[in-house]
């Protein structure tokens, strides 16, 4: 099998040198270049064959999530593995959605990196053990069960989402402003949020609005 022509992209020179040292004896890889930003990486990919990119998420010019998409548009067959300190589930999922074949934290072992490279060559998505644990935990909004709302609460929620004040809602529904405020407080409690802006965002996420 041909050796994978590999690029390392990280804005910390010490990380780049560390990876080069770590991978120099790998029989299936050939590190052909390293870059500290996305612009230089993209310029290189335009004119050179690249089989594998080891990519950080945080770069000075273009973030790794966006770079995944751009690299895949330029060279669909290039495999991208993310090596990052970011542990946010949303960032991990977004990079995969944008074309990365795997996500590892920078404290991963060489064996985990080898395994991910091998898996990605076979067309699989691969994560380091710690990343697997992060993505197997549901997000905060997924954990919340959808609150049961009364017909009146649904009405008031809908009017709040339209930006109407308690006084306007009270006039429209022929209620006292005090009653509207009570419903509003109950809604905040049911959705476990602090203010109306969060209430509306969460209600949208839970497909209630």
């Amino acid at each position: 099998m041909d050796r994978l022509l590999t690029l390392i992209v990280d804005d910390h020179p010490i990380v780049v040198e560390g990876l080069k040292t770590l991978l120099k004896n790998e029989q299936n890889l050939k590190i052909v270049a390293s870059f500290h930003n996305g612009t230089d990486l993209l310029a290189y990919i335009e004119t050179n064959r690249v089989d594998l990119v080891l990519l950080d998420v945080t770069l000075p010019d273009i973030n790794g999530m966006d770079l995944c998409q751009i690299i895949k548009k330029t060279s669909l067959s290039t495999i991208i593995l993310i090596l990052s300190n970011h542990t946010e589930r949303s960032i991990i999922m977004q990079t995969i959605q944008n074309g990365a074949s795997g996500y590892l934290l920078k404290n991963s072992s060489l064996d985990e990196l080898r395994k991910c490279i091998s898996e990605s060559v076979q067309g699989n998505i691969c994560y380091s053990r710690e990343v697997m644990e992060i993505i197997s935990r549901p997000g905060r909004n997924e954990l919340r069960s959808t609150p049961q709302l009364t017909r009146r609460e649904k009405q008031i929620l809908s009017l709040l989402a339209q930006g109407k004040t308690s006084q306007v809602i009270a006039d429209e529904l022929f209620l006292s402003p005090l009653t509207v405020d009570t419903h509003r407080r109950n809604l905040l409690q049911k959705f476990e949020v602090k203010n109306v802006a969060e209430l509306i965002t969460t209600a949208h996420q839970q497909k209630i609005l």
Side-chain angles (χ1 to χ4, degrees), residues 41-50 70 74:
L41 156 72
L42 293 173
Y44 184 90
I45 280 184
E46 288 280 342
T47 53
N48 296 276
R49 181 186 133 202
V50 177
I70 303 166
T74 308

Side-chain angles (χ1 to χ4, degrees), residues 25-156:
N25 296 322
E26 296 298 302
Q27 298 302 308
N28 61 335
L29 301 183
K30 182 182 181 186
I31 294 165
V32 288
S34 59
F35 302 105
H36 301 306
N37 61 62
T39 309
D40 293 346
L41 156 72
L42 293 173
Y44 184 90
I45 280 184
E46 288 280 342
T47 53
N48 296 276
R49 181 186 133 202
V50 177
D51 301 315
L52 173 67
V53 179
L54 300 177
L55 179 64
D56 190 10
V57 169
T58 311
L59 295 169
D61 52 354
I62 311 169
N63 75 62
M65 288 184 287
D66 293 341
L67 268 173
C68 287
Q69 270 185 322
I70 303 166
I71 292 167
K72 283 294 187 180
K73 276 181 190 157
T74 308
S75 173
L76 188 60
S77 61
T78 298
I79 295 164
I80 306 163
L81 291 181
I82 302 292
L83 276 170
S84 174
N85 284 325
H86 283 287
T87 56
E88 292 90 337
R89 189 173 186 269
S90 57
I91 290 177
I92 297 167
M93 302 318 286
Q94 191 62 56
T95 57
I96 300 300
Q97 210 174 322
N98 287 5
S101 292
Y103 197 109
L104 300 97
L105 297 185
K106 284 183 179 174
N107 61 3
S108 302
S109 65
L110 177 56
D111 278 345
E112 283 187 299
L113 181 52
R114 276 189 191 125
K115 178 173 167 283
C116 269
I117 292 169
S118 161
E119 287 276 320
S120 62
V121 168
Q122 291 166 47
N124 300 321
I125 304 283
C126 185
Y127 307 103
S128 63
R129 185 182 50 78
E130 222 172 313
V131 172
M132 280 294 289
E133 286 170 15
I134 293 165
I135 60 174
S136 65
R137 292 196 295 263
R140 197 166 54 123
N141 286 327
E142 292 168 51
L143 280 173
R144 288 182 182 157
S145 57
T146 305
Q148 295 300 308
L149 303 183
T150 64
R151 191 176 58 83
R152 181 66 85 198
E153 282 170 346
K154 283 179 186 168
Q155 273 181 319
I156 289 172

